[in-house]
Amino acid sequence: MVTFARNEIVSSSQFVRGFAGFLKRMTKSNDEKIAVVKNNQMQAVMIPIDEYERLKALAEIAEQKEIFETIQERKNTSSSEFISFDEAMKIAGV
């Protein structure tokens, strides 16, 4: 679970009123994140663009790894377990 320091948590109204300041703070300082809270519930997190791009790249790598592993598993599937496209569509109700 991600933890937040006190100075990293702001209310949605503070965030709206001080957006330019928060944006500047995010780009000019070492702040990692700002959590936006509404009605005592975390609603969003603002992170630097570099961190966002890093997270997206990691998510893509994880997805590619999962696809690769699925393909590797399917290579070991006996052809007797295969079903035709038409049969798959019938099972799917299409």
Side-chain angles (χ1 to χ4, degrees), residues 21-52:
F22 290 114
L23 186 59
K24 184 176 181 179
R25 181 175 139 185
M26 190 60 43
T27 58
K28 301 289 184 199
S29 73
N30 291 331
D31 286 351
E32 291 182 17
K33 60 199 176 297
I34 297 173
V36 181
V37 177
K38 183 175 182 179
N39 298 326
N40 295 323
Q41 297 289 323
M42 292 223 185
Q43 300 294 313
V45 176
M46 181 182 199
I47 59 174
I49 190 70
D50 293 343
E51 180 67 7
Y52 173 78

Side-chain angles (χ1 to χ4, degrees), residues 39-82:
N39 298 326
N40 295 323
Q41 297 289 323
M42 292 223 185
Q43 300 294 313
V45 176
M46 181 182 199
I47 59 174
I49 190 70
D50 293 343
E51 180 67 7
Y52 173 78
E53 289 172 346
R54 187 181 76 78
L55 291 171
K56 289 294 284 183
L58 287 172
E60 188 173 315
I61 289 168
E63 182 179 4
Q64 290 172 353
K65 182 178 183 278
E66 185 178 335
I67 291 168
F68 175 79
E69 289 171 351
T70 299
I71 291 169
Q72 293 306 104
E73 288 174 17
R74 289 182 181 174
K75 282 183 177 180
N76 298 325
T77 303
S78 166
S79 60
S80 65
E81 295 181 52
F82 292 168

